[in-house]
């Protein structure tokens, strides 16, 4: 029976890469001088994903952009999944975390707006599986910072986890709608033209009696937004209502 390790007892290599500044870069310590670096691979991957989406990202395309042989990129990052983890952590640290000030509402707004702006800068983040976020230094710093927004309010640790998860999780839906609307706007170029083309057909198929409420609301919203929806306005409205609820909950918790 072999006693050699099958790798299951070894620390996750992605963790070593995420914390390479502390642990030392595991790549390039042996062999010929490296032509690139882990940082260069990650930055190039972010550029590609920003330009064409996560579905267009491949190790081969990263290698081509860096002028490397296709297989040599794997000497820096073991695979696409690991690369995406590194990308997520990198963008989480793009900007310094501001000091959390003001009321509970203002602090939670800071947390939400940071996520909103990040999604808009890097729409591919909306396609990431968040069931196990990469535990890199920047993601970890962000989580610590977010929790500090509600530290000392009398909430249990589990409540604190749920509040931050609620606020950050809310942001993704209006951010996705915003990104989709921008993509449609670029493709269609003119939302008004679409409604003008299809208005006569819609009048034939939409029964005012059947859709009395939605027709009235849709007409009012369309007149106000100048489009079928306003994702940025939905973000502002929804965030305010989410924080309204959290403020009530925190007040009840402090009363207990």
């Amino acid at each position: 029976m072999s006693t050699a390790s099958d790798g299951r007892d070894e620390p996750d290599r992605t963790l070593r890469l995420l914390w390479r500044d502390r642990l030392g870069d595991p790549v390039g310590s042996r062999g010929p001088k490296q032509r690139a670096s882990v940082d260069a691979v990650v930055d190039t991957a972010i550029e590609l994903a920003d330009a064409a989406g996560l579905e267009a990202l491949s190790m081969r395309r990263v290698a081509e952009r860096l002028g490397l042989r296709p297989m040599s990129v794997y000497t820096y990052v073991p695979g696409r999944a690991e690369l995406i983890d590194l990308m997520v952590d990198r963008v989480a640290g793009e900007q310094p975390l501001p000091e959390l000030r003001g009321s509970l509402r203002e602090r939670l707004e800071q947390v939400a707006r940071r996520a909103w702006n990040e999604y808009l800068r890097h729409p591919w983040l909306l396609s990431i599986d968040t069931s196990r976020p990469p535990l890199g230094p920047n993601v970890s710093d962000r989580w610590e910072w977010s929790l500090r927004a509600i530290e000392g309010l009398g909430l249990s640790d589990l409540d604190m986890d749920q509040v931050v998860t609620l606020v950050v999780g809310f942001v993704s839906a209006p951010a996705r709608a915003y990104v989709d609307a921008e993509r449609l706007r670029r493709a269609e170029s003119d939302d008004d033209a679409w409604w003008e083309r299809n208005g006569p057909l819609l009048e034939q198929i939409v029964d005012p009696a059947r859709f009395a409420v939605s027709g009235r609301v849709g007409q009012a919203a369309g007149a106000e937004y100048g489009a079928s929806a306003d994702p940025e306005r939905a973000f502002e409205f929804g965030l305010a209502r989410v924080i309204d609820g959290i403020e009530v909950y925190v007040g009840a918790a402090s009363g207990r």
Side-chain angles (χ1 to χ4, degrees), residues 217-229:
V217 172
Q219 186 173 12
E224 175 69 20
Y225 306 153
S228 58

Side-chain angles (χ1 to χ4, degrees), residues 1-2 79 100 102 115 127 129 132 148 161 177 196 209 213 215 223 248 252:
M1 177 177 176
S2 173
L100 290 161
S127 304
D129 179 0
R132 183 190 289 175
R148 287 184 183 276
D161 177 79
E196 186 175 345
V213 178
V248 172

Side-chain angles (χ1 to χ4, degrees), residues 37-38 84 104 110 119 145 190 211 216-217 232 251:
S37 66
V38 174
I84 291 173
L104 171 61
Q110 278 188 276
Y119 282 136
W145 174 79
D190 188 351
F211 303 107
R216 186 190 75 238
V217 172
E232 189 166 6

Side-chain angles (χ1 to χ4, degrees), residues 12-20 38-39 41-43 45-46 49 54 57 59 77-93 118 124-125 127-140:
D12 191 316
R13 188 179 178 189
T14 307
L15 281 175
R16 290 192 173 277
L17 286 169
L18 286 165
W19 292 90
R20 60 192 180 279
V38 174
D39 287 343
V41 170
V42 175
D43 289 342
I46 291 171
L54 203 61
L57 176 66
M59 301 295 278
V77 179
R80 186 175 183 272
E82 294 83 357
L83 177 56
I84 291 173
D85 281 349
L86 292 165
M87 293 162 62
V88 170
D89 192 69
R90 173 59 63 87
V91 300
E118 198 168 86
W124 51 269
L125 287 169
S127 304
I128 299 295
D129 179 0
T130 59
S131 56
R132 183 190 289 175
L135 298 178
N138 296 317
V139 168
S140 298

Side-chain angles (χ1 to χ4, degrees), residues 63-212:
E64 290 173 353
R65 179 70 65 91
L66 288 170
L68 301 173
R69 293 191 303 275
M71 294 306 296
S72 67
V73 73
Y74 290 96
T75 65
Y76 301 96
V77 179
R80 186 175 183 272
E82 294 83 357
L83 177 56
I84 291 173
D85 281 349
L86 292 165
M87 293 162 62
V88 170
D89 192 69
R90 173 59 63 87
V91 300
E94 281 181 334
Q95 297 179 344
L97 295 168
E99 183 178 352
L100 290 161
R101 295 178 175 175
S103 65
L104 171 61
R105 177 173 294 271
E106 290 168 329
R107 297 195 303 274
L108 289 177
E109 283 180 351
Q110 278 188 276
V111 172
R113 294 187 195 285
R114 192 169 188 85
W116 169 265
N117 291 331
E118 198 168 86
Y119 282 136
L120 268 52
R121 287 198 310 273
H122 305 290
W124 51 269
L125 287 169
L126 293 163
S127 304
I128 299 295
D129 179 0
T130 59
S131 56
R132 183 190 289 175
L135 298 178
N138 296 317
V139 168
S140 298
D141 284 342
R142 170 77 67 81
W143 184 241
E144 173 74 15
W145 174 79
S146 300
L147 289 170
R148 287 184 183 276
I150 53 174
E151 173 73 338
L153 298 179
L155 297 174
S156 71
D157 289 347
L158 290 179
D159 279 349
M160 291 174 65
D161 177 79
Q162 289 297 308
V163 166
V164 172
T165 299
L166 171 63
V167 171
V168 176
F170 156 75
V171 177
S172 63
R176 183 173 289 106
Y178 183 98
V179 169
D180 289 345
E182 285 295 295
R183 186 180 298 117
L184 179 63
R185 184 186 60 80
R186 290 193 295 269
E188 280 281 334
S189 74
D190 188 351
D191 197 48
D192 289 338
W194 187 92
W195 288 102
E196 186 175 345
R197 282 199 314 274
N198 294 285
L201 177 60
L202 290 171
E203 289 179 1
Q204 293 179 41
I205 61 178
V206 174
D207 181 355
R210 180 177 179 181
F211 303 107

